[in-house]
């Protein structure tokens, strides 16, 4: 790809720049994944006990709360979000901006956390710091640039020193209808989706576009299956179904490219299945779960537990090959031995370890 782009810079810089381009396009389009694969349209009432929410009972079932057109409540303000981070806008236009934005959050005190304090009356740690972010992994994002870290290395320092190695997609629900929460068809679609994000033009994003992306996320989380739902699209609005059909049409040639490389038509089939879910929302996991609840008369908790028991039985009926089980036992034993060796050789206090760890954020990005 670098040769095709006639880029003469380093491969490390090219990969990092293109991964950030992929991330920007992913942020623009991941509402489609929430619609297609969202599998959390309801919660047990106990989950929101004592918390403000706008959910409503599922018919006469007072134990289950839902939104009629919801897709993935986990990706809304009841789940994978933080009020403390509501004002945090992280720029994905380049590595330097990304690191400086996150580093600012890691070193900026947050009043609510300062009120909690760092230690209790017995001098025990209540939290690692009183800053907006205590470690990078607390940052809530649908996708993150990643680099394998070395011992005791911060993720941001690893990214700055060695560039982006891969991306971590974080917006997918485990599908309770499937034994391992995901299947090959979904993986094939994700491959096509991500490659489309990589190969498509990806202009720099503005702060307003990031705000629009959050609004589209909220809309699809709570109303994604509403036929009348519109999304923010530039200076105007567009119907979700029309935009989804357009986007899937753009992804289709990428799926064909993958099929030509791997043989068969699995990627094309995955895109066709996605197109059918757009026109027939009864096929998406969120709708199927609510339909099962309605037909069985069982609560959300009972429905989820029924599937968990079925999956348990599935795996008990399909035991590991003895050679594989033996290999895993040996790996576990080795891991425990390494853990004991590390702990025996440890001489640092926790406070010194923490100080050394946080000191890594002090590096020059100019």
């Amino acid at each position: 790809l670098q040769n095709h782009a006639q880029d003469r810079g380093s491969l490390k810089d090219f990969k990092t720049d293109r991964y950030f381009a992929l991330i920007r396009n992913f942020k623009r389009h991941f509402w489609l994944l929430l619609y297609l694969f969202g599998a959390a349209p309801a919660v047990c009432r106990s989950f929101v006990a004592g918390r403000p929410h706008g959910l409503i009972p599922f018919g006469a079932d007072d134990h289950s709360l839902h939104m009629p057109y919801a897709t993935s409540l986990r990706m809304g303000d009841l789940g994978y979000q933080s009020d403390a981070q509501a004002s945090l806008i992280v720029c994905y236009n380049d590595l330097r901006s990304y690191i400086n934005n996150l580093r600012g959050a890691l070193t900026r005190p947050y009043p609510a956390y300062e009120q909690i304090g760092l230690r209790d009356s017995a001098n025990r740690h209540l939290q690692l710091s009183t800053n907006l972010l205590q470690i990078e992994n607390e940052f809530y994002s649908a996708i993150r640039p990643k680099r394998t870290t070395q011992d005791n290395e911060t993720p941001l320092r690893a990214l700055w020193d060695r560039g982006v190695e891969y991306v971590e997609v974080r917006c997918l629900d485990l599908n309770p209808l499937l034994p391992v929460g995901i299947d090959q068809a979904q993986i094939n679609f994700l491959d096509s989706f991500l490659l489309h994000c990589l190969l498509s033009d990806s202009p720099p994003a503005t702060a307003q576009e990031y705000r629009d992306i959050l609004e589209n996320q909220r809309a699809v989380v709570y109303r994604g299956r509403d036929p009348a739902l519109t999304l923010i699209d530039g200076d105007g609005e567009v119907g979700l179904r029309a935009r989804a059909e357009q986007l899937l049409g753009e992804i289709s040639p990428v799926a064909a490219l993958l099929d030509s490389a791997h043989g068969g038509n699995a990627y094309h089939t995955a895109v066709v299945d996605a197109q059918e879910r757009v026109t027939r929302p009864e096929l998406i996991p969120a709708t199927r779960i609510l339909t099962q609840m309605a037909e069985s008369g069982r609560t959300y908790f009972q429905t989820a537990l029924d599937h968990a028991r079925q999956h348990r039985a599935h795996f008990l009926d399909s035991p590991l090959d003895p050679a594989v089980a033996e290999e895993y036992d040996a790996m576990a034993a080795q891991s425990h031995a390494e853990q004991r060796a590390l702990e025996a050789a440890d001489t640092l206090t926790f406070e010194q370890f923490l100080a050394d760890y946080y000191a890594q954020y002090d590096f020059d990005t100019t």
Side-chain angles (χ1 to χ4, degrees):
L1 184 59
Q2 185 184 28
N3 291 336
H4 179 76
Q6 297 183 337
D7 180 270
R8 298 293 179 258
S10 72
L11 180 59
K12 182 194 83 169
D13 290 344
F14 179 79
K15 288 173 66 175
T16 292
D17 290 344
R18 293 307 293 257
Y19 268 127
F20 271 97
L22 180 158
I23 289 171
R24 291 194 298 276
N25 278 336
F26 183 96
K27 299 279 283 186
R28 291 169 173 127
H29 304 319
F30 83 95
W31 57 264
L32 179 63
L33 302 182
L34 299 181
Y35 172 85
L36 294 174
F37 305 115
V43 298
C44 179
R45 178 176 288 277
S46 63
F47 181 76
V48 293
R51 301 171 59 189
H53 64 84
L55 306 181
I56 61 176
F58 185 72
D61 173 10
D62 195 46
H63 295 280
S64 306
L65 300 175
H66 82 308
M67 291 296 285
Y69 293 113
T71 58
S72 176
L73 295 176
R74 182 186 72 86
M75 287 298 296
D77 53 7
L78 295 175
Y80 190 63
Q81 288 192 26
S82 163
D83 291 340
Q85 296 179 27
S87 62
L88 178 60
I89 295 180
V90 173
C91 178
Y92 294 93
N93 288 340
D94 55 68
L95 179 59
R96 178 178 287 103
S97 298
Y98 176 79
I99 285 179
N100 286 337
N101 288 163
L102 275 188
R103 189 165 53 176
L106 286 157
T107 56
R108 183 171 72 247
Y110 182 64
Y113 298 160
E114 287 184 305
Q115 289 181 359
I116 295 172
L118 196 60
R119 299 172 182 271
D120 63 15
S121 57
N123 204 35
R124 294 172 299 197
H125 274 273
L126 295 172
Q127 48 189 342
L128 297 179
S129 79
T130 56
N131 298 330
L132 178 57
L133 293 180
Q134 299 187 25
I135 58 174
E136 294 98 320
N137 290 346
E138 285 188 331
F139 173 53
Y140 294 101
S141 179
I143 185 171
R144 294 196 297 212
K146 300 289 285 188
R147 159 64 63 175
T148 304
T149 57
Q150 299 169 355
D151 286 348
N152 300 330
E153 183 182 39
T154 66
L156 286 188
R157 189 57 191 260
L159 282 173
W160 181 252
D161 287 346
R162 301 187 298 282
V164 181
E165 181 182 11
Y166 64 97
V167 292
E168 178 186 49
V169 173
R170 303 172 57 83
C171 65
L172 298 173
D173 290 339
L174 290 174
N175 185 344
L177 307 176
L178 301 171
V180 294
I182 192 169
D183 59 14
Q184 188 62 50
Q186 183 175 345
I187 293 171
N188 291 340
F189 181 82
L190 291 169
D191 281 343
S192 303
F193 180 88
L194 287 165
L195 192 56
H196 171 265
C197 290
L198 174 69
L199 298 178
S200 301
D201 289 340
S202 182
T206 64
Q208 182 58 51
E209 184 177 18
Y210 285 130
R211 286 189 283 268
D212 292 344
I213 286 168
L214 285 174
E215 285 303 314
N216 284 341
Q217 176 181 344
R218 294 187 187 102
V220 177
V221 161
Y222 286 102
R223 297 179 50 222
R225 296 177 295 116
D226 183 348
L229 178 64
T230 59
L231 302 176
I232 301 172
D233 186 38
D235 294 330
E237 294 188 357
V238 62
L240 179 146
R241 176 173 173 175
R243 184 67 185 96
E245 290 174 343
Q246 178 187 4
L247 185 54
L248 289 169
E250 297 169 0
I251 295 171
S252 186
V254 179
L257 183 68
L258 287 167
D259 280 331
S260 68
H262 295 285
N265 64 347
Y267 295 93
H268 169 75
T269 300
V271 174
V272 170
D273 288 346
Q275 290 170 328
E276 189 171 11
R277 291 187 186 197
V278 173
T279 57
R280 297 181 59 196
E282 66 269 21
L283 298 178
I284 67 175
T287 311
R288 293 176 60 194
I289 291 168
L290 294 179
T291 299
Q292 287 184 2
M293 291 168 58
E295 292 177 347
S296 67
R298 295 176 68 75
T299 67
Y300 178 74
F301 174 82
Q302 291 168 335
T303 301
L305 187 59
D306 288 344
H307 285 291
R309 286 170 171 158
Q310 293 169 16
H311 301 331
R312 179 177 184 272
H314 166 82
F315 288 112
L316 289 175
D317 289 341
S318 308
L320 281 177
D321 179 274
V324 175
E326 183 178 353
E327 180 184 5
Y328 286 172
D329 287 339
M331 291 170 63
Q334 179 182 353
S335 177
H336 289 148
E338 292 173 354
Q339 177 188 357
R340 289 190 294 269
L342 282 171
E343 292 173 348
D346 187 16
T347 58
L348 283 181
T349 64
F350 179 69
E351 287 72 17
Q352 186 59 54
F353 167 82
L354 204 56
D356 292 347
Y357 189 82
Y358 281 136
Q360 293 182 65
Y361 295 129
D362 185 17
F363 60 91
D364 187 10
T365 58
T366 58

